[in-house]
Amino acid sequence: MTEDWPAAQDLDFVRARSACRKAIAGHKTVDEARIAFEAAAAEARTQFDLRRH
């Protein structure tokens, strides 16, 4: 997730990275991290699709 992410500067990515780190540390649930990651993945997919066209 930290390398070659197509939308690494987007807010969804920053939130997802933070949520994943907090889940590893035990400060967020895995479900919270998953939801944040899915939002970041959707944004990255959108960015990727826009670049292809």
Side-chain angles (χ1 to χ4, degrees):
M1 179 175 188
T2 60
E3 294 181 27
D4 298 323
W5 194 263
Q9 301 304 318
D10 288 347
L11 184 56
D12 284 330
F13 170 82
V14 173
R15 286 179 177 158
R17 183 179 57 197
S18 177
C20 288
R21 288 177 176 166
K22 287 179 181 181
I24 290 169
H27 301 293
K28 278 197 177 275
T29 67
V30 172
D31 285 335
E32 290 172 309
R34 178 187 50 77
I35 290 167
F37 180 82
E38 288 174 351
E43 179 60 28
R45 191 170 29 255
T46 299
Q47 294 292 328
F48 181 76
D49 287 345
L50 290 173
R51 289 181 190 153
R52 287 180 21 166
H53 291 284

